[in-house]
Amino acid sequence: MLRNLNEEHQEVHCSRERSRAAWKIIEEYLMPFVEKEKYQLSSRCRLHPGSDLFRDQEEHKIHVDVNEWRCGYCKKIFRAENFLDQHFDNRHYNLLNVSHGKCLADLCGALHCDYVINSQSHKSKCNPAAAARNRHLCENLANKCFPVNEGPSASRLHEFFLHQFCDAHTCSRGVKPFARGGKKHTSILHLAASVLILMFLPIFYVIVFFSQRDKKGLTQLKRVARPGRKSKPS
């Protein structure tokens, strides 16, 4: 029986952390432009959500608070995301679709995962052979996911993908990935300013209303209090 359990619980040679980094890059720096073009990624495209071994588990993570993560399958609570990852590996391994053998982390070279994960330091020495290899993988993704013969949208996205991801696979200085930008995030400062404006705008209008009303009332009182003119004696 133990042997059967071991056979069922096959070891997964796919990094959850790097797969997560790859998906975040796809979600932030690619999907907004794909959605803008109203383009549907083929299931054969390795950038498709179905190619992420851990996608279903990641979508069953509930971040309740800073130190509170909840399992969407069994509702168990953990104080950090890595503990929830371990819980998935131990208790919900059977929910992984290991049959297709796809691993999103395998695309990290093309998608610049290391650039994002090690965002504080990009001073590592460039390897021309590795850059060429990653560029080849990147161009292969562009050709398979956005075939130029599938219409204007696919052609535009093909060119976009090359500029957004592939052009940065070089040892030339000054060339950085994600040149076209990504998903727009509302800053905390902007959000706070908007909330304050919404809070104080009604108060401002109330003050203006009462101020104008008081001025009108004062004018009417002056008119009433003004003495009538005396008629001249004939």
Side-chain angles (χ1 to χ4, degrees):
M1 184 175 180
L2 181 62
R3 183 181 176 182
N4 290 336
L5 287 173
N6 288 334
E7 287 177 354
E8 289 176 6
H9 199 292
Q10 299 174 357
E11 187 177 354
V12 176
H13 298 284
C14 182
S15 167
R16 183 187 292 272
E17 181 188 3
R18 291 180 70 76
S19 292
R20 184 185 300 134
W23 178 253
K24 285 183 178 179
I25 290 169
I26 292 170
E27 193 174 38
E28 180 157 351
Y29 297 106
L30 175 63
M31 292 312 295
F33 302 92
V34 172
E35 290 167 2
K36 186 178 179 181
E37 289 284 352
K38 297 180 180 178
Y39 185 82
Q40 293 292 326
L41 288 175
S42 167
S43 58
R44 297 187 301 275
C45 170
R46 295 181 69 186
L47 300 168
H48 190 277
S51 296
D52 184 6
L53 181 69
F54 303 104
R55 181 78 342 242
D56 189 71
Q57 288 189 350
E58 289 293 312
E59 289 176 352
H60 279 80
K61 285 181 176 179
I62 303 170
H63 194 186
V64 181
D65 207 342
V66 178
N67 296 317
E68 186 176 342
W69 291 79
R70 182 177 297 159
C71 172
Y73 298 117
C74 64
K75 311 305 179 186
K76 194 170 181 180
I77 295 174
F78 301 87
R79 68 175 182 269
E81 186 178 15
N82 62 307
F83 293 128
L84 180 54
D85 288 340
Q86 292 173 14
H87 169 74
F88 282 150
D89 291 337
N90 295 328
R91 298 295 182 184
H92 302 297
Y93 173 86
N94 61 311
L95 298 172
L96 289 177
N97 184 11
V98 296
S99 60
H100 55 55
K102 295 177 181 177
C103 177
L104 203 59
D106 292 343
L107 305 181
C108 267
L111 298 176
H112 305 279
C113 292
D114 290 328
Y115 181 88
V116 173
I117 294 172
N118 305 316
S119 58
Q120 301 300 320
S121 176
H122 304 302
K123 295 180 180 179
S124 57
K125 190 175 180 180
C126 181
N127 183 332
R133 186 168 57 251
N134 288 331
R135 186 181 182 90
H136 177 72
L137 174 60
C138 186
E139 291 174 347
N140 192 39
L141 284 173
N143 294 334
K144 289 187 176 180
C145 295
F146 311 107
V148 292
N149 59 351
E150 284 195 358
S153 292
S155 182
R156 284 192 294 268
L157 286 169
H158 184 276
E159 184 182 0
F160 162 80
F161 194 88
L162 293 177
H163 288 303
Q164 183 81 324
F165 298 98
C166 306
D167 286 354
H169 289 300
T170 174
C171 289
S172 300
R173 292 186 177 183
V175 183
K176 294 182 179 180
F178 323 131
R180 299 290 181 89
K183 185 187 294 184
K184 293 181 179 179
H185 298 282
T186 304
S187 68
I188 295 174
L189 186 63
H190 183 268
L191 187 62
S194 300
V195 170
L196 286 172
I197 289 171
L198 289 173
M199 285 175 61
F200 288 106
L201 197 59
I203 297 173
F204 171 76
Y205 280 119
V206 168
I207 292 171
V208 171
F209 171 76
F210 281 110
S211 175
Q212 294 295 327
R213 196 179 71 169
D214 289 343
K215 284 181 181 179
K216 287 180 180 179
L218 187 60
T219 303
Q220 290 175 355
L221 284 172
K222 284 182 178 179
R223 286 177 181 175
V224 172
R226 186 182 297 168
R229 294 180 179 179
K230 292 181 180 180
S231 57
K232 295 180 179 180
S234 54

